[in-house]
Amino acid sequence: MANQPDVMDKLVSLCKRRGFIFQSSEIYGGTGSVWDYGPLGVELKRNIKDRWWNAMVRARDDIEGLDAAILMHPRTWEASGHVAGFVDPLVDCKTCKGRFRADKLEDARCPQKPSKQPGHHDACQLTEARNFNLMFKTYMGALEESASIVYLRPETAQGIFVNFLNVQQSMRQKVPFGIAQIGKAFRNEITPGNFIFRTREFEQMEMQFFVEPGTDMEWFEQWKQVRMEWHLALGLSAERLRFHQHGAGELAHYARAAFDVTFDFGGTLGFQEIEGVHNRGDFDLTQHQQFSSKKLEYYDQLNNKRYVPYVIETSVGADRVTLAALVNAYREESVEGEDEGRVVLGLHPSLAPIKAAIFPLTKKDGQPDMAHQIVEDLRGLFTVDYDESGSIGKRYRRQDEVGTPFCITVDGLSTGDDTVTVRERDSLAQDRVSTSQLKGYLAQRL
Ligand code: GAP
């Protein structure tokens, strides 16, 4: 049961209007469940990826970064189990030509009679279920023949497994240690949707932590907590976050244990997975050893023993966290003494695409020049925006709606005493700050 309101339609509209997210190839009618990030969306998603990279790679000496290629040797996907097992059962309706997941029919609506699920309307003619592989296929080289088939990776994890020894040996890492990467993944989802929640092209932030067998459950518990804390530190509200444990029937073919971090997206979508934490055992390294005929063992010098490490995986979608951050931040509120309310994106300051907006109160008396000078002084340290059009109230509203934490106004006093007004987005509190102290003031609060 969802406790939170459904803000998705309002967000989709805000995201398009204010340059966060556009439908891909919109002028051609759009591409199914593929989205483009506009100027503010790309900053927001980049801030989320930076927070992840800083926490997972830069702040630790036991995790190394990697950027593996999207196109991998096709045997990779045989070894990983994706060629045989990365399938959804699919049914078609001969009447309406609709296509549905056979195991999720109760969540789908008949296009001709939306009050019923597919198969429950008299006119429905559903086919038998058949398995549909979610990997996108393409060809490498000039010849379109089966020998040259390659896949767009459906997860970034396999690029990490095949590089396990390269990274361990080149960086002289000792188990336990991890490898992390951020990159695109592709899945030909049958029922994508809910804006950027489930798309066919998305970005994953994955980390595989290699541990000695027997210590895996301890590390699994530790990583569960570390990852939940990361989401809380992004400002996602505690009441919207919850773990979901996978029961025996839900576990992926590789998993010994799994928990999802779920977030309450509100409305009927409710709590949904944003991150998976899995104990993958030695499944992947053992499979790659077998399919490549190359040993992927770790030599523990101290204890003079060799073993195939177990893997604890943390796998989070950059787009899903972006959506969660937007849903979490969206609010409408009335403002005391004003007729019109305001829409605010109460984003954590570190995620806000614009950190400070600078306004001259009027276009006269040297105010625009001084405001431009402040923009130039702050640029490089913070993402800033200059705006001189419309009333000051309208300019505040425009910045509230995109989550800008601070608005700086140059007014009649400013050119005389070198001070400006700094207004904070959430409390609406206004401080008078000297321009020479502006950088420090913002740095402390951001
Ligand atoms: N390597 C393990 C793995 O890929 P997953 O649960 O299939 O596990 C991990 O995916 C995360 O990737 C999910 O929690 C979600 O955030 C994101 N993700 C998966 N499929 C997605 C899709 N179609 N669109 C957007 N994000 C997706």
Side-chain angles (χ1 to χ4, degrees):
M1 269 294 284
N3 304 313
Q4 306 286 345
D6 185 355
V7 298
M8 204 64 91
D9 288 346
K10 288 175 179 170
L11 260 184
V12 175
S13 144
L14 186 155
C15 282
K16 178 174 157 69
R17 199 162 31 82
R18 301 307 314 275
F20 279 87
I21 298 165
F22 311 123
Q23 199 181 4
S24 162
S25 325
E26 193 185 320
I27 59 166
Y28 289 103
T31 321
S33 286
V34 186
W35 298 88
D36 295 341
Y37 286 77
L40 299 194
V42 70
E43 289 290 341
L44 170 59
K45 185 154 83 146
R46 185 167 296 222
N47 290 338
I48 289 171
K49 290 189 287 183
D50 284 349
R51 292 270 317 234
W52 187 87
W53 192 257
N54 286 335
M56 299 295 277
V57 181
R58 296 209 166 131
R60 306 181 59 116
D61 53 19
D62 59 352
I63 299 186
E64 304 288 350
L66 180 74
D67 185 8
I70 288 173
L71 300 176
M72 300 183 69
H73 194 288
R75 291 277 282 168
T76 308
W77 307 109
E78 290 172 38
S80 68
H82 283 83
V83 170
F86 197 50
V87 290
D88 278 343
L90 175 78
V91 290
D92 291 300
C93 178
K94 289 183 187 158
T95 312
C96 71
K97 311 292 176 222
R99 185 161 275 189
F100 314 97
R101 264 180 72 168
D103 56 339
K104 295 269 163 78
L105 281 177
E106 65 282 6
D107 298 338
R109 298 290 98 202
C110 167
Q112 295 198 337
K113 193 150 177 75
S115 61
K116 303 207 168 193
Q117 73 175 58
H120 285 199
H121 175 40
D122 294 343
C124 295
Q125 287 189 79
L126 297 188
T127 59
E128 287 293 305
R130 63 195 162 87
N131 279 339
F132 172 78
N133 195 298
L134 301 187
M135 283 196 294
F136 281 96
K137 264 186 203 164
T138 186
Y139 298 93
M140 189 171 261
L143 293 177
E144 285 193 17
E145 56 183 38
S146 60
S148 57
I149 285 179
V150 289
Y151 300 96
L152 301 188
R153 67 180 175 198
E155 62 173 12
T156 58
Q158 300 304 324
I160 291 180
F161 292 125
V162 300
N163 278 298
F164 160 64
L165 279 187
N166 282 339
V167 174
Q168 187 263 318
Q169 289 168 357
S170 59
M171 303 312 286
R172 293 180 292 121
Q173 277 286 359
K174 290 188 174 55
V175 167
F177 80 97
I179 306 176
Q181 75 168 328
I182 299 177
K184 289 266 183 169
F186 303 83
R187 296 183 189 176
N188 200 359
E189 302 275 5
I190 302 169
T191 50
N194 286 311
F195 197 25
I196 54 169
F197 177 79
R198 180 169 283 109
T199 55
R200 294 194 166 105
E201 175 178 342
F202 54 98
E203 261 182 298
Q204 288 187 314
M205 307 187 282
E206 295 201 296
M207 191 281 300
Q208 325 297 133
F209 203 74
F210 300 89
V211 304
E212 185 174 350
T215 64
D216 46 312
M217 282 316 287
E218 219 174 287
W219 280 107
F220 179 68
E221 285 305 320
Q222 209 181 102
W223 276 111
K224 251 177 70 189
Q225 302 312 328
V226 171
R227 294 305 306 147
M228 181 59 98
E229 277 156 29
W230 183 81
H231 290 283
L232 287 165
L234 285 192
L236 298 188
S237 85
E239 66 190 24
R240 299 186 89 133
L241 286 167
R242 200 186 267 181
F243 280 121
H244 163 75
Q245 181 171 17
H246 285 218
E250 261 180 292
L251 285 177
H253 60 279
Y254 51 74
R256 293 162 61 87
F259 271 86
D260 293 337
V261 177
T262 67
F263 173 82
D264 187 353
F265 286 91
T268 51
L269 194 54
F271 277 94
Q272 297 289 339
E273 171 188 346
I274 52 175
E275 169 152 9
V277 181
H278 306 123
N279 179 349
R280 297 180 73 123
D282 60 0
F283 175 83
D284 305 89
L285 291 182
T286 307
Q287 287 289 104
H288 286 303
Q289 278 198 149
Q290 200 182 323
F291 278 74
S292 67
S293 306
K294 299 271 164 29
K295 282 247 173 287
L296 293 175
E297 287 174 343
Y298 170 71
Y299 175 55
D300 175 354
Q301 269 181 332
L302 205 63
N303 299 302
N304 191 26
K305 60 180 182 184
R306 284 179 195 282
Y307 57 85
V308 176
Y310 276 17
V311 170
I312 307 303
E313 169 184 75
T314 71
S315 173
V316 55
D319 311 86
R320 275 207 197 158
V321 176
T322 302
L323 184 60
L326 286 166
V327 167
N328 186 76
Y330 184 91
R331 61 176 199 263
E332 293 167 6
E333 60 190 29
S334 51
V335 183
E336 218 183 291
E338 289 186 24
D339 297 339
E340 269 179 60
R342 64 173 190 156
V343 171
V344 188
L345 278 189
L347 292 167
H348 189 282
S350 67
L351 302 188
I354 301 168
K355 307 296 186 212
I358 295 96
F359 314 145
L361 186 61
T362 69
K363 291 183 193 163
K364 306 179 294 201
D365 304 330
Q367 290 176 21
D369 287 345
M370 186 171 172
H372 277 301
Q373 188 54 52
I374 293 172
V375 168
E376 290 318 312
D377 288 348
L378 297 180
R379 206 193 291 287
L381 285 176
F382 311 107
T383 47
V384 287
D385 188 30
Y386 174 86
D387 189 3
E388 60 174 28
S389 66
S391 71
I392 200 78
K394 283 219 166 63
R395 284 181 259 170
Y396 281 149
R397 296 292 170 270
R398 281 202 285 269
Q399 296 298 332
D400 290 342
E401 205 184 28
V402 299
T404 306
F406 294 102
C407 290
I408 299 167
T409 304
V410 172
D411 57 23
L413 294 176
S414 305
T415 44
D417 67 1
D418 262 335
T419 62
V420 288
T421 302
V422 183
R423 175 241 198 209
E424 199 270 331
R425 176 194 68 202
D426 297 323
S427 65
L428 299 175
Q430 303 209 358
D431 272 348
R432 199 78 197 169
V433 181
S434 133
T435 50
S436 61
Q437 283 164 10
L438 209 44
K439 281 181 195 162
Y441 179 95
L442 293 176
Q444 200 186 6
R445 285 161 181 78
L446 288 164

